[in-house]
Amino acid sequence: MPRSSETLVPPLGALLRRYREAGEPLSCEPVTQGLLNRGYRLATTRGAYFLKQHLDAPTADRDTISRQHRATQRLHALGLPVAPPLADSAGRTVAVIGGRCYALHPWVDGRHRDGAQLSAGGSRRLGLLLGRVHTCLEQVMEPPPPGEEHESARPEETLRVIDELLRLARARRPRDGFDELAVHRLLQRRRLLAEHAHRRPPPASAAGWVHGDFHPLNLLYRGAEPAAIVDWDRLGVQPRAEEAVRAAAIFFVRPAGELALTKVRAYARDYRRAAGVDADELAAAVHRVWWERLNDFWILRWRYQLDDRRADPQFPAASALVVWWTREYDAVRDAFTG
């Protein structure tokens, strides 16, 4: 995984020779958002483009990217707001230069909006949009393989991770406020796991194709309307209702770690209607995502095991959400299913 300090300059000359109709380069500015890949706003004599440099190892090979591109092309044909890649002079949508994969997309003018910026109507439209994504993916992708199951986290393994992260956080010199909060949350999580270990959910069957990373930085708006769903790198087969719950937990989390449950309810009703998901399926997804969050420490792993602090700003709200969600479990489930 690339470090935040790493500078990667795209090979514009070699790239634009493949996209002859794109014009000559005028400027190429990094796009600041994004943790796994690199994006640039490329201005040329013919207009503006989004240049994506694929770096995340699990999804950065040509075949995987090409499959994502075909999916977005088909989704665009069905009327979903996506930005399919441009084809080069040979008809390819993936350019491999110097061993790295690049793709050129039309530039979409828009802004990101989190749940605090969405009205009740905007929350309903968000749920409707994700429901349409799931039903349209079912139309354009091959049937998922049968029988694949997703195991839930084992609390005994999580406790070992907590012990390791506690050791690393306590050893940090000099320790700052983040380290103190990390130690507090790790000790708190250990207590919660001891209290709730008996609630570990059973394996879930993978139900269908999902975007895989549906959150505010991967959705652009023009005014109140979604303009483009971007970054399809994690396109894959997962329990689709879990994606709906994960997305809500990112869009609608407040800085103190609470969920805006009125907006969650509006979002979930339209998602269920659009995706054809019943309340029982969504209730099971709520339980599984709650358990996933209770056992997950990816932000602390990045900081203490990878020495990568780019996700640190997300930790206060994300870690508080787990505690609040555990306390308000019934209210959260009812917001998704009512």
Side-chain angles (χ1 to χ4, degrees):
M1 180 179 298
R3 295 290 186 267
S4 56
S5 60
E6 185 177 1
T7 300
L8 298 167
V9 180
L12 295 182
L15 185 75
L16 289 178
R17 280 194 292 273
R18 303 187 181 200
Y19 294 88
R20 294 178 186 142
E21 296 185 1
E24 297 297 320
L26 298 175
S27 65
C28 187
E29 299 294 331
V31 176
T32 55
Q33 293 96 336
L35 295 175
L36 299 178
N37 297 295
R38 291 289 183 269
Y40 303 86
R41 188 184 191 278
L42 173 62
T44 77
T45 53
R46 298 287 180 86
Y49 303 90
F50 177 73
L51 173 59
K52 183 164 184 175
Q53 187 173 25
H54 291 265
L55 298 169
D56 187 31
T59 61
D61 64 280
R62 173 185 272 168
D63 290 343
T64 300
I65 300 167
S66 295
R67 184 182 67 176
Q68 297 161 11
H69 289 173
R70 289 192 297 271
T72 57
Q73 290 163 344
R74 294 165 183 165
L75 292 173
H76 183 264
L78 292 176
L80 278 181
V82 294
L86 303 174
D88 65 16
S89 302
R92 296 181 294 254
T93 60
V94 182
V96 182
I97 302 172
R100 296 194 185 276
C101 292
Y102 300 84
L104 197 62
H105 299 257
W107 180 262
V108 178
D109 283 317
R111 55 173 293 190
H112 304 290
R113 297 169 67 94
D114 60 28
Q117 299 167 304
L118 297 179
S119 64
S123 302
R124 289 193 296 270
R125 285 191 292 273
L126 181 66
L128 173 64
L129 177 62
L130 184 55
R132 288 186 61 214
V133 167
H134 289 169
T135 56
C136 288
L137 281 171
E138 190 174 12
Q139 296 178 51
V140 305
M141 301 298 292
E142 66 274 14
E148 184 179 349
E149 291 189 333
H150 292 250
E151 281 278 339
S152 57
R154 299 176 181 273
E156 59 273 18
E157 295 176 2
T158 302
L159 291 173
R160 286 194 288 271
V161 172
I162 289 174
D163 289 342
E164 173 64 9
L165 292 173
L166 274 171
R167 182 186 68 79
L168 294 171
R170 285 168 167 161
R172 183 63 63 100
R173 295 292 184 273
R175 282 171 65 175
D176 58 19
F178 185 104
D179 300 314
E180 298 296 338
L181 177 62
V183 170
H184 169 69
R185 292 302 191 196
L186 286 164
L187 293 172
Q188 186 179 50
R189 198 77 64 85
R190 187 156 63 184
R191 292 193 298 271
L192 287 175
L193 275 170
E195 294 172 13
H196 297 281
H198 63 285
R199 299 176 67 186
R200 180 190 177 202
S205 297
W209 289 93
V210 298
H211 176 276
D213 202 18
F214 194 83
H215 60 70
L217 292 183
N218 285 339
L219 182 58
L220 289 166
Y221 280 84
R222 287 197 194 99
E225 295 299 323
I229 307 164
V230 299
D231 284 351
W232 292 80
D233 305 271
R234 298 303 177 90
L235 173 70
V237 177
Q238 296 178 17
R240 57 182 183 165
E242 290 182 26
E243 172 157 83
V245 177
R246 288 190 196 98
I250 301 172
F251 271 95
F252 299 112
V253 65
R254 292 169 172 159
E258 302 174 356
L259 290 179
L261 292 183
T262 300
K263 293 182 177 181
V264 168
R265 187 180 300 274
Y267 157 91
R269 283 178 176 170
D270 272 52
Y271 170 76
R272 295 201 313 268
R273 187 178 303 116
V277 171
D278 63 24
D280 288 343
E281 184 177 345
L282 207 50
V286 169
H287 186 70
R288 288 184 58 79
V289 176
W290 163 76
W291 180 259
E292 176 184 275
R293 291 297 188 97
L294 190 62
N295 286 267
D296 183 60
F297 300 94
W298 74 271
I299 298 173
L300 298 186
R301 284 176 176 270
W302 276 32
R303 178 181 173 92
Y304 294 118
Q305 295 178 336
L306 301 177
D307 195 27
D308 189 331
R309 302 188 179 196
R310 288 175 295 159
D312 283 6
Q314 301 179 38
F315 182 70
S319 61
L321 173 61
V322 179
V323 180
W324 178 86
W325 191 339
T326 302
R327 186 175 66 247
E328 302 293 337
Y329 180 90
D330 290 342
V332 175
R333 181 197 58 209
D334 291 348
F336 278 97
T337 60

